[in-house]
Amino acid sequence: MTDTTSILGYAWPMVVSPGEEVAFHLSSPSVSKADAAVVRVRCGDPDPAGPGIRAHEMAAPFERTVSLVHQVIRPGSCAIVADAPALTSFQSFTVGAFLWPTMPGDRAQTILSRWREDTQEGWRLGLDADGHLEFVVAAGGRTWRVVTGAALLSREWVLAGASWDAEAGRLAVMVRSADAQAGRDRSECVEAPGPTGLEWPAAVPLVIAAQASDGGGELFDGFYDGKIDRPRLHASVQPIDGLHRLCESMNFPMTDARLIAAWDFSRGMAGESVTDLSAHHLHGRVRQMPTRGMTGANWDGSTDRWTDCPEQYGAIHFHSDDMADAEWEPTLRFTVPAEWRSGFYALRLRADTGDEPVESFVAFFVRAELGKPRSRLAFVASTGTFLAYANSALRLDQVHAEAMLEGVLTLSRDDVYIQEHREVGLSTYDTHADGSGWSISSARRPILNMRPRGNVFNYGNDTHFIDWLEETGQDYDVITDDDIHRHGVQVLAPYTCVVTGSHPEYISREVWEAFDAYQRSGGRHMYLGGNGFYWRIAYHPTVPHTIEMRRGMTGLRTWEGEAGETALAFTGEPSSTWRSNGRPPQRLVGVGFDGQVFTHSSPYRWLDGAKDPVLSWLTAGIDLAAPLGDFGLRGNGAAGVEIDRVDWSLGSPPGTVWLATADRLGYGGTPAPEEIRTLHRGVMGDQNAQVRADLVYFPTANGGAVFSTGSIAWVCALSHAGYRNNVSQLTGNVLKRFLDPAPL
Amino acid sequence: MLVTYPEAAHWPIDPDRLDLVEEFRRQPRGPHGDELQKLLHRLRWAGDPDQPGRYVLIVTQPGKEWMLGRLPRQRGRPIELMRNHVFTSIAEAEWEVFKLRWEAVTGRTLPPHLSEKLV
Ligand SMILES: [Fe+2]
């Protein structure tokens, strides 16, 4: 058994040009020295029934023996306001916000604080371990505390606050439920004795949704799960009505000198700063990218997009497990030699210290430089999709996984690691510990399922196509979603043919439009996958390799977002499926997602469209009476896993030639939710011809063309029988013609 | 919040239907008849409620060898590796897990001719 997790790391940036520097941020709790080598990845799938792991070692300009140290990951999001004179300028005060807690009673959590946990001084408003609202004030070794009698309910809005009356020596904690009936009322105000004067601790930040661990300003704990909306801090003693008015207010007269801070989280939604409306400008910054653009306590359902009405989206949903940046120190850097070809690369780390050999890969991509193609063919690394799936714990956490996959779950060493080490941060398929959807994914952390070995999906499947290109001697460039997003069609334009792989599922508007423009201007696109061009995502406006997506109310979604929260905080665009954004994939690539099949994959059968003599270049050397792809590494067929079909009403172009179909998938063929209007039996693949994979070709403007296979299993059938098979032959026929500049 | 409940699968299992056990043993990876599909859905959906975790396989050698394990229902808890349950085919592993689940859900021991390893 190979140990794939004792050394982990990430490359930054994840995508580099020849001549640029890449840094590897590595960590190991157990291995102090490892052998490091850069490899160019040809096949990342260890399955002995296929080509196996194939990686070419490069002559890299660095010392091969690297020293490793253990670097920890600190998950948990919060907002931090650096210490300022205004924060210690008062004695009596009131603090509060609207709260929508998601894990009250799970553990103690801090909501608003200017508190040092190591010395136990300052003040903090939070939930105690049982979910009661708690206010603590402490200094000089003395602590005063007041707590409510009833625990807060999960996922119910309350106004929550506290006050300290220094003159009277009283503390108060107060809750007002937004829906105070039918068993939901948690409204109460509790008072207790407090100090009559205090010395505040020096140099402590004010923290929202956590507290400072010490005076260093770098470490935080007591993370809160749930939403916080419109937090306020006022240097006066207010009863709950006064706090309510403060929290409801969005405009503050500058004549109110006692207003210390009033944060409006609806400003600068895409970024990492939080804005204070007061005269003190106590702006802060968020860490670990909590979810913004969330409905506030005042959301009234009049819109489902924060851009229409930002003042109803003043909540941030903080998660104790948010993780956007592992913040590891770089271990190794090197400059990619200018002559290296673009491709899938990885740093391979080996060590032989324990019971098992350690071999761990850290993936990075070398892009073909913009405007400097070295081939007429480009293969797209679906980095948007790799990020969306990064560290997926779907099979570990979701009840339906074993039933969906039609068999006992088979887990890799990487899965075993992720089950135990949730600090690496999960994927957009997963839910946070509080059950809410994981909507942001970044590459500044180890990504265990985007590298050779480990779990073979997306990255591993796509390397089967690279392996086939290498086997057939075809030269190619590699380009990435991230670059297409940034530079648009310019990235695609130099190529006569562009290939997208097994699962180009997560697509920003910019990427969609680049492909559309490319196809319209004579480009040739081979889409060799399934469930492609499906979800609409956004890239972070400034942080590279960071995506956001919201799963809406339709589509094959492993979580459902909350009502009113389907617009992306990074851009304000609607998310959800492209189909519900008016762009079914059929319109771009002829086919669109319709179902899954995990029992077994199937061959396609040729249709009359393929028999047109005009298409003899496409079918040359192929027996059209024989099944197409009755073999393969994914379910023993070329049509399977996630599949797409033609639909004229969803925009398959009238010029589409429907070449072949796999429409006899049996009971394992399960339709996508958006394929069913109403409930009735008879929707599974044994009875429903709409659950199928279709193979299509169509010409586009200016001599361009599109060829689509509509199946994830396709590329995993290429190597069958020594690469001599009809899937390989057809792929080769299309590629050869698509590389010929003569108009189609 | 849309939640998926592990107790949702409730197709009633008849402990006398050893014909379904035999059908599964013949073809652990399918295809299966309607009733066996329903039986398997119930077992797979529920995920071993009588156990400290769901039975899973850990790949020890890709494509060649798998080890039985139990996946705890709480995040962060380690997967329990059952080192003396090692399989050299997925079908063999499916059969072993099926037998464990059948006996747990029916409360009955399988007769000798149905309790052996798959050959
Ligand atoms: Fe997918």
Side-chain angles (χ1 to χ4, degrees):
Chain A
M1 202 166 177
T2 306
D3 175 345
T4 56
T5 57
S6 282
I7 306 170
L8 290 175
Y10 55 98
W12 196 263
M14 182 177 84
V15 184
V16 284
S17 298
E20 282 183 359
E21 186 182 82
V22 56
F24 297 94
H25 302 246
L26 310 174
S27 170
S28 175
S30 54
V31 179
S32 57
K33 283 204 180 343
D35 174 69
V38 172
V39 296
R40 190 168 195 275
V41 179
R42 170 171 167 166
C43 183
D45 179 359
D47 187 345
I53 301 252
R54 297 175 89 169
H56 176 70
E57 197 175 305
M58 307 296 289
F62 54 77
E63 173 58 47
R64 283 190 62 141
T65 303
V66 292
S67 295
L68 301 167
V69 293
H70 186 213
Q71 307 202 59
V72 297
I73 297 178
R74 295 193 172 88
S77 62
C78 58
I80 301 146
V81 178
D83 194 26
L87 289 172
T88 48
S89 64
F90 53 86
Q91 289 281 292
S92 295
F93 71 101
T94 301
V95 63
F98 295 105
L99 290 191
W100 194 75
T102 49
M103 300 186 87
D106 184 67
R107 64 193 182 280
Q109 300 166 48
T110 300
I111 296 156
L112 283 153
S113 68
R114 192 174 172 282
W115 176 264
R116 267 186 74 160
E117 180 63 9
D118 59 341
T119 55
Q120 298 278 306
E121 53 183 339
W123 57 265
R124 58 175 285 271
L125 175 68
L127 303 177
D128 73 6
D130 298 317
H132 306 108
L133 190 68
E134 177 189 52
F135 183 47
V136 178
V137 173
R142 284 200 66 190
T143 301
W144 293 264
R145 178 173 179 267
V146 60
V147 64
T148 56
L152 295 185
L153 290 173
S154 178
R155 297 177 162 259
E156 288 290 329
W157 281 110
V158 293
L159 171 70
S163 66
W164 171 40
D165 185 337
E167 274 170 39
R170 301 292 290 172
L171 296 182
V173 66
M174 42 205 168
V175 173
R176 177 174 281 170
S177 289
D179 184 3
Q181 54 105 43
R184 293 197 169 92
D185 190 11
R186 293 295 180 276
S187 307
E188 61 179 308
C189 292
V190 181
E191 288 199 20
T196 52
L198 279 181
E199 185 82 15
W200 296 125
V204 181
L206 181 142
V207 185
I208 304 170
Q211 65 202 13
S213 303
D214 55 30
E218 303 264 305
L219 298 177
F220 305 92
D221 55 49
F223 292 99
Y224 163 81
D225 282 286
K227 294 200 262 193
I228 298 177
D229 179 17
R230 287 168 283 166
R232 305 289 187 247
L233 180 59
H234 201 267
S236 70
V237 182
Q238 295 289 334
I240 193 151
D241 286 335
L243 175 66
H244 208 153
R245 275 193 298 277
L246 278 170
C247 289
E248 287 283 9
S249 180
M250 300 296 283
N251 291 296
F252 298 92
M254 289 300 147
T255 50
D256 182 2
R258 296 176 306 170
L259 181 73
I260 303 299
W263 289 280
D264 180 359
F265 294 158
S266 74
R267 306 210 179 188
M269 212 71 104
E272 299 190 78
S273 60
V274 294
T275 303
D276 169 28
L277 304 177
S278 85
H280 300 114
H281 302 283
L282 293 172
H283 310 311
R285 63 183 170 84
V286 295
R287 56 165 266 134
Q288 301 297 17
M289 290 195 190
T291 316
R292 304 188 70 164
M294 297 274 101
T295 54
N298 56 346
W299 183 68
D300 63 8
S302 57
T303 179
D304 62 359
R305 296 197 41 197
W306 64 262
T307 47
D308 292 344
C309 194
E311 62 274 20
Q312 293 187 23
Y313 286 84
I316 293 180
H317 193 140
F318 297 93
H319 301 97
S320 58
D321 54 0
D322 275 325
M323 224 302 287
D325 189 348
E327 300 175 324
W328 285 356
E329 295 297 326
T331 311
L332 171 69
R333 300 172 188 272
F334 85 101
T335 299
V336 175
E339 66 277 12
W340 282 18
R341 287 162 61 199
S342 58
F344 285 42
Y345 285 82
L347 184 72
R348 186 192 64 208
L349 296 144
R350 284 179 172 164
D352 234 336
T353 46
D355 305 341
E356 305 166 313
V358 177
E359 184 177 85
S360 182
F361 292 91
V362 178
F364 67 106
F365 302 89
V366 176
R367 67 165 75 85
E369 237 179 312
L370 185 63
K372 296 182 185 169
R374 293 196 199 173
S375 173
R376 284 184 297 126
L377 170 66
F379 179 58
V380 179
S382 296
T383 46
T385 300
F386 300 163
L387 285 171
Y389 274 88
N391 296 338
S392 167
L394 187 157
R395 292 178 303 159
L396 303 173
D397 293 346
Q398 302 212 6
V399 171
H400 75 279
E402 187 180 341
M404 176 182 84
L405 296 169
E406 307 271 2
V408 179
L409 298 175
T410 55
L411 304 177
S412 69
R413 278 294 283 266
D414 293 346
D415 294 312
V416 171
Y417 184 87
I418 288 173
Q419 167 61 16
E420 240 182 296
H421 293 274
R422 298 307 178 105
E423 70 275 11
V424 293
L426 304 184
S427 78
T428 67
Y429 281 78
D430 300 302
T431 54
H432 288 278
D434 71 357
S436 61
W438 204 297
S439 60
I440 295 170
S441 179
S442 90
R444 269 202 173 108
R445 57 182 177 136
I447 298 177
L448 281 73
N449 57 349
M450 185 186 73
R451 55 187 195 148
R453 217 185 281 288
N455 289 335
V456 181
F457 199 66
N458 296 329
Y459 182 97
N461 286 346
D462 286 353
T463 62
H464 280 283
F465 182 67
I466 292 177
D467 172 61
W468 179 85
L469 288 172
E470 296 281 352
E471 181 69 25
T472 55
Q474 173 65 52
D475 59 274
Y476 60 96
D477 277 358
V478 164
I479 54 179
T480 70
D481 284 350
D482 290 38
D483 293 317
I484 301 168
H485 174 83
R486 191 170 357 147
H487 300 294
V489 71
Q490 301 184 80
V491 178
L492 305 174
Y495 300 101
T496 315
C497 177
V498 170
V499 177
T500 48
S502 64
H503 202 25
E505 181 180 4
Y506 289 83
I507 302 291
S508 68
R509 182 179 54 81
E510 289 83 347
V511 172
W512 181 292
E513 290 176 355
F515 275 99
D516 194 12
Y518 174 69
Q519 292 177 188
R520 287 172 194 278
S521 57
R524 285 81 186 266
H525 178 194
M526 293 174 75
Y527 157 48
L528 302 181
N531 185 217
F533 304 90
Y534 188 66
W535 291 107
R536 181 172 187 173
I537 63 166
Y539 286 77
H540 194 282
T542 56
V543 183
H545 315 312
T546 302
I547 62 153
E548 185 190 21
M549 73 92 49
R550 301 286 172 96
R551 302 199 186 272
M553 302 302 166
T554 186
L556 203 163
R557 62 221 192 280
T558 50
W559 49 268
E560 186 177 85
E562 295 294 326
E565 296 180 351
T566 52
L568 297 158
F570 287 179
T571 58
E573 297 170 289
S575 187
S576 305
T577 62
W578 272 112
R579 178 167 165 170
S580 54
N581 278 272
R583 294 180 181 179
Q586 279 92 346
R587 209 162 170 99
L588 186 70
V589 291
V591 295
F593 184 53
D594 64 87
Q596 294 187 154
V597 57
F598 288 103
T599 41
H600 63 86
S601 297
S602 301
Y604 302 78
R605 61 187 164 81
W606 290 99
L607 300 174
D608 287 345
K611 293 166 190 161
D612 187 335
V614 172
L615 293 178
S616 58
W617 56 268
L618 189 143
T619 53
I622 298 172
D623 176 5
L624 299 190
L628 171 66
D630 53 345
F631 47 80
L633 297 169
R634 298 291 170 273
N636 208 27
V641 185
E642 295 177 30
I643 51 173
D644 304 344
R645 68 177 171 83
V646 167
D647 194 310
W648 312 109
S649 70
L650 289 172
S652 293
T656 301
V657 184
W658 191 354
L659 299 164
T661 190
D663 63 351
R664 292 285 171 193
L665 304 180
Y667 63 81
T670 50
E674 67 272 26
E675 290 282 291
I676 304 167
R677 285 191 186 185
T678 180
L679 287 178
H680 48 79
R681 299 192 300 117
V683 299
M684 306 304 262
D686 51 351
Q687 297 178 72
N688 183 358
Q690 299 303 94
V691 181
R692 63 171 195 263
D694 288 333
L695 197 82
V696 301
Y697 160 78
F698 60 92
T700 60
N702 299 302
V706 173
F707 172 78
S708 299
T709 61
S711 160
I712 284 182
W714 181 270
V715 293
C716 303
L718 288 167
S719 64
H720 176 74
Y723 304 85
R724 275 188 285 277
N725 61 73
N726 53 17
V727 168
S728 173
Q729 177 78 34
L730 176 60
T731 308
N733 288 351
V734 175
L735 182 58
K736 183 171 167 221
R737 180 63 186 87
F738 275 25
L739 285 173
D740 177 348
L744 276 147
Chain B
M1 186 166 61
L2 185 58
V3 176
T4 308
Y5 296 96
E7 58 276 18
H10 73 167
W11 188 73
I13 294 174
D14 177 352
D16 292 327
R17 291 294 303 276
L18 294 176
D19 58 310
L20 296 178
V21 179
E22 289 195 54
E23 183 189 343
F24 185 81
R25 187 177 63 161
R26 277 197 302 277
Q27 266 178 308
R29 299 291 280 168
H32 302 130
D34 278 352
E35 286 182 303
L36 180 54
Q37 287 176 43
K38 289 174 179 172
L39 167 62
L40 287 171
H41 177 77
R42 162 126 184 230
L43 299 177
R44 289 168 175 171
W45 191 269
D48 310 299
D50 59 306
Q51 294 292 315
R54 178 187 290 272
Y55 286 117
V56 294
L57 299 176
I58 317 301
V59 179
T60 48
Q61 289 179 53
K64 287 184 180 158
E65 191 188 86
W66 298 263
M67 182 190 291
L68 192 63
R70 275 190 292 231
L71 167 66
R73 291 174 191 87
Q74 295 92 342
R75 298 174 181 207
R77 292 254 183 101
I79 292 173
E80 181 192 348
L81 302 178
M82 301 165 83
R83 294 181 190 277
N84 48 3
H85 288 80
V86 173
F87 310 102
T88 53
S89 82
I90 291 277
E92 181 194 348
E94 286 277 4
W95 171 238
E96 288 306 309
V97 171
F98 179 91
K99 284 191 297 185
L100 290 166
R101 288 174 167 173
W102 173 271
E103 296 193 348
V105 78
T106 63
R108 289 197 202 167
T109 310
L110 282 164
H113 75 285
L114 284 175
S115 55
E116 284 148 28
K117 283 198 172 193
L118 203 68
V119 278

